[in-house]
Amino acid sequence: MTTTRYGIKDNQVRAFNKLIRVSHQKLNLVCAMVRGMPVDRAIDVLKFSKKRVSGEVLKTLLSAVANAEHNKNLPADSLFIKEIWCGKALTMKRIMAGPRGSARPILKPFSNLTIVLESGVAPTKKAAKKEAKSK
């Protein structure tokens, strides 16, 4: 495996979703649900999740799968989520009227999402724990 531009290997693809209208803490809860899963299982988890932002994560995941099939000719059934992370983007600042003519701030945060998929067999959680203990 050779490393290509931006540290992505030949058997990896990534997709971005920028300026999602939710805080990064709420988005990270959904990211943690699907981290390390095979793509078909992650799609099922996101479709039946009650979190509002799971639709945006699903859209980004399907975009990454399309990138894998179209750009790198990777089979969709062998993909798993290698990395998924979110970060802060801009914060809109608004003002709401308060008592006695004062003002109260309202912060409306945005987030960015990045998904990296890899072709191959997804590592199980038991194997990851054994690896961590041996180090």
Side-chain angles (χ1 to χ4, degrees), residues 10-134:
D10 287 338
N11 66 337
Q12 292 179 344
V13 293
R14 66 182 180 173
F16 303 105
N17 194 348
K18 296 182 179 180
L19 296 177
I20 302 170
R21 179 62 187 88
V22 69
S23 72
H24 69 282
Q25 294 164 329
K26 293 177 184 177
L27 181 58
N28 197 30
L29 292 174
V30 178
C31 291
M33 285 194 309
V34 297
R35 189 170 284 128
M37 283 188 181
V39 167
D40 54 350
R41 176 124 191 256
I43 289 172
D44 290 340
V45 168
L46 290 171
K47 279 185 181 176
F48 293 104
S49 174
K50 291 184 177 182
K51 300 281 187 182
R52 178 182 63 88
V53 75
S54 64
E56 291 290 327
V57 177
L58 178 63
K59 183 174 78 170
T60 311
L61 179 61
L62 293 176
S63 174
V65 171
N67 289 345
E69 291 176 339
H70 185 264
N71 298 342
K72 298 234 179 158
N73 297 324
L74 298 175
D77 55 348
S78 69
L79 294 172
F80 70 95
I81 299 175
K82 174 77 173 174
E83 298 175 13
I84 180 170
W85 72 88
C86 60
K88 290 182 182 180
L90 63 91
T91 300
M92 287 194 306
K93 296 173 179 75
R94 301 291 182 258
I95 295 174
M96 181 177 64
R100 295 185 175 190
S102 64
R104 299 282 184 240
I106 298 174
L107 303 178
K108 299 185 174 188
F110 285 77
S111 302
N112 295 331
L113 175 66
T114 305
I115 297 179
V116 177
L117 300 182
E118 186 173 317
S119 179
V121 179
T124 60
K125 293 190 178 189
K126 291 179 183 178
K129 286 182 182 178
K130 286 181 183 178
E131 232 177 76
K133 280 188 178 181
S134 65

